[in-house]
Amino acid sequence: MNCCGLLTPEKEPVPLKSIEVELEVRDHVATLVSTLLYENKEDKPIEAVFVFPLPGDAAVCHFSAVIGQTQIVAEVKDKQQAREEYDDALSSGQQAFLLEESDQSPDIFSLSVGSLPPGESASIRLEYVTELAVQADDGLRFCLPAVLNPRYQPQGASVQVTSVPASLVPYSLSFSARVSCPRPISKVESSSSLDPLQYLNAEKTQATVKLAAGHKFDRDVELLIYYTDAHQPTAVVESGQASAKTGTLMGDPVVMVSLYPEFPQSVMSSVASCGEFIFLLDRSGSMDCPINNSNQQETRIASARDTLLLLLKSLPMGCYFNIYSFGTIYEHMFPKSVEYSEKTMEEALKKVEKMTADLGGTEILRPLKDIYSQPCIPNQPRQLFAFTDGEVENTKEVINLVKKNSGSHRCFSFGIGEGASTALINGLAKEGGGHAQFITGGDRMQPKVMQSLRFALQPAVQDVSVTWDLPKGVSVTVLSPPITALFQGQRSLVYAQVSGQVRSSEAAEGCVTVKYSLAGHRSQNQLHFTLKAAEDTGLTVHRLGARTLIRSLEMEEREYSGQQDVGVKEKVVELSVQSGVSSSFTAFIAVNKSDGKEIQGPLVRRNVPAYSEYFSKGYLKTYLLQTSTLKDPLLQLVSLQKASGCWLLDAALAAALGKTSEEVEKPKPASVGQMWATILALIWLHGFKTDAKEEWELLALKAVSWLQAQNVPFVTECVEAGNALLGCSVQKDSLGL
């Protein structure tokens, strides 16, 4: 374990001294400023190259460096031009800095720090804006990926990430966040230690929070922010840049509309107890890699097996299901989808337990064709869940196939680990009218997948349209791709450029209306908003709007690559340069031309090794084979549940509850019979696993329905006895009984 961390090829420390991070969160949008201090302690000039991840939808909008007393602000230029300028600067003895997005993935960046003279230090400032993802429990999630865990692209292998022991982290991290929202901030949580939340006003709409002192940046830093009444639709209008030309994206105001559709209760109460659920699982060799850095023992395939257990236990009685798995070849569990019953569920679970990452490459097109060749089952809407950790060369063909079949199904996609293709995962969900999830860093797969299952059980929304009602002389150009899917309570963001002048001196109002068909009924949600620009928002909304448009154009360019002229690429470069936001075709370049001095001596390149030799492929496999972990207690209990929703009172259940058979049997009230086991399981879930409620909520609802059908006598007495046995204090009402 000694040969890892940020080291040069000669095992000397790379000169990164400290990282200072300031985060500003406004409602559901975040601006992050990161300052990295480097120092060259060697006796010759060096070039250090760092590869590091950023959030997948981040828009990098500022990059600068301070050397001595000189500040150099980087410009956004065409990527090829920027690389040439960087090489020219180094060859002429000048200092230069280059920040560029990886050709492989839009959420990986490389920073080249060029020609640092001996004894010199450089301070690098990086700024980006990002939307915060809504979690299953309505928290907004911000994740700062650890620079220490860079990904690398070895020849012929997928992108990998490995962790570095905290004792070897050679630099310090300071992290502070300021949060503001029109609604009160209820709490801020983190997987890392935080100082207490400090409110800045009596309304609790502004607060600051810091990482506790002594944090070692050996893993991602995650913040979860919770607001009161989180599901309020909002609209923010941001003024254009004074120096930009009217009529351009940066010169005109931009509006960001945040929609949370509320479906009629009459429709939601009939949430599907039917459907054909098809699970498509990647079993290529890379699924044997660890799912994240903090737990080297859990592999992606093992996590996928646990997830399938939860999914199969949570399906409603009366539905149909099948499981496909793929690599270079593909397999299906049943020749066609089967009805969900105790027998078919148990048969599927036995096969799932034996699944390994042994099917070779990542060929997803053939199993998809097979799935779509199967006729749909009447009155059982098809829902496809696709899990993969890789990229495919025929992304366009795969997405087009899903689009072609979008009328007959919804597609929910899951990108597992750091190398998953954002274009593939987002494309599958967008064209399949579903929802995309990415499982990276310290994320657990299960809560994200169960959130998608809850979405899949909602009725499908069709014919979505967004219309704008604006004062005379005012118009909008929508920057976001069209909305193709809506889910109850799930946020949809729309960015639009506002053109024209408001004639009246009074604060003019606009209105945006979302119309859609739901279970055969036409519904709509409206949001009225003022066209008066919000104060002091910087250019955050403009940059996120530009980022959204850039990503759409990049996808278009990939779709038609080789079939049209370079017009789309030119549009992306022009938009990227105008907005100062990174893209796949541009890079940030900064050259220090101030003192005119040439840097003497040969330049030594310092690539940062991205993984510990201990965890290189050969060792990793042995390590994983030698390590066996006890089954998660939650999954142990879940695995014992029957398809109908009940549990049996037996030795296995007693062991899962941490008791003996005798201890479980003794306090059982008379006349309750097998229902006692199900009540105990529910009390245990509510008493000990509230932090994982999104994982077991659906199967618990199934258990409650089963109990209600049995008409349980002495419910209050049973719950009291169960609490006494398990040492809990769960209320009968919170169980749903």
Side-chain angles (χ1 to χ4, degrees), residues 657-659 664 679-685 688 721-728:
L657 298 173
K659 303 290 177 187
V664 169
I679 290 170
L680 284 178
L682 284 172
I683 291 171
W684 187 90
L685 289 170
F688 297 110
N723 275 322
L725 172 67
L726 298 175
C728 298

Side-chain angles (χ1 to χ4, degrees), residues 66 217 305 398 485 617 667 725:
V66 175
F217 198 17
R305 285 195 298 263
V398 170
K617 283 183 182 171
L725 172 67

Side-chain angles (χ1 to χ4, degrees), residues 312-463:
L312 288 169
K313 294 288 182 177
S314 302
L315 290 179
M317 293 297 281
C319 76
Y320 286 74
F321 77 99
N322 203 351
I323 300 174
Y324 279 72
S325 52
F326 68 93
T328 310
I329 58 167
Y330 72 92
E331 300 173 355
H332 43 64
M333 204 158 272
F334 305 104
K336 61 180 184 178
S337 294
V338 294
E339 189 171 351
Y340 179 71
S341 66
E342 184 64 32
K343 180 173 177 288
T344 55
M345 182 192 79
E346 287 298 335
E347 187 182 340
L349 284 172
K350 280 177 187 161
K351 291 177 179 174
V352 166
E353 275 178 27
K354 295 175 183 168
M355 282 184 171
T356 55
D358 59 352
L359 294 186
T362 310
E363 177 48 75
I364 196 171
L365 190 65
R366 286 172 60 219
L368 277 174
K369 284 180 175 174
D370 190 70
I371 289 165
Y372 295 138
S373 73
Q374 305 283 341
C376 288
I377 302 165
N379 303 317
Q380 301 284 352
R382 181 172 282 172
Q383 316 275 3
L384 174 64
F385 283 61
F387 301 83
T388 180
D389 72 340
E391 294 203 30
V392 294
E393 289 180 1
N394 54 351
T395 299
K396 180 193 158 198
E397 203 178 344
V398 170
I399 291 171
N400 282 349
L401 181 65
V402 172
K403 186 176 184 175
K404 188 177 159 190
N405 291 276
S406 60
S408 63
H409 82 305
R410 283 192 290 189
C411 181
F412 297 85
S413 53
F414 306 88
I416 305 167
E418 266 66 11
S421 163
T422 49
L424 177 66
I425 303 304
N426 286 329
L428 288 173
K430 179 175 174 282
E431 299 302 348
H435 188 255
Q437 301 262 28
F438 289 88
I439 297 120
T440 58
D443 295 349
R444 291 185 71 232
M445 194 185 300
Q446 291 82 0
K448 296 202 169 190
V449 175
M450 299 313 291
Q451 182 190 41
S452 291
L453 179 58
R454 279 192 287 277
F455 288 157
L457 290 168
Q458 291 181 17
V461 169
Q462 295 170 317
D463 305 325

Side-chain angles (χ1 to χ4, degrees), residues 100-160:
E100 57 182 325
E101 195 177 288
S102 156
D103 292 333
Q104 279 79 33
S105 181
D107 53 353
I108 305 175
F109 280 74
S110 71
L111 168 61
S112 301
V113 180
S115 292
L116 262 187
E120 187 77 84
S121 62
S123 175
I124 308 289
R125 182 185 165 100
L126 176 70
E127 186 177 327
Y128 64 79
V129 289
T130 187
E131 299 156 0
L132 301 185
V134 184
Q135 300 303 287
D137 64 355
D138 297 336
L140 292 171
R141 178 177 183 266
F142 169 79
C143 181
L144 176 68
V147 178
L148 238 195
N149 299 340
R151 306 175 216 179
Y152 76 116
Q153 183 77 34
Q155 287 212 311
S158 64
V159 173
Q160 296 183 13

Side-chain angles (χ1 to χ4, degrees), residues 6 14 80 267 605 620 698:
L6 288 170
V14 165
Q80 192 55 41
V267 177
R605 189 178 179 90
L620 179 59
L698 288 173

Side-chain angles (χ1 to χ4, degrees), residues 62 69 73 85 174-175 203 247 291 329 396 430 563 678 721:
H62 175 88
Q69 301 302 308
V73 178
E85 282 189 27
S174 69
F175 178 94
E203 298 77 25
I291 192 163
I329 58 167
K396 180 193 158 198
K430 179 175 174 282
Q563 297 177 29
T678 305

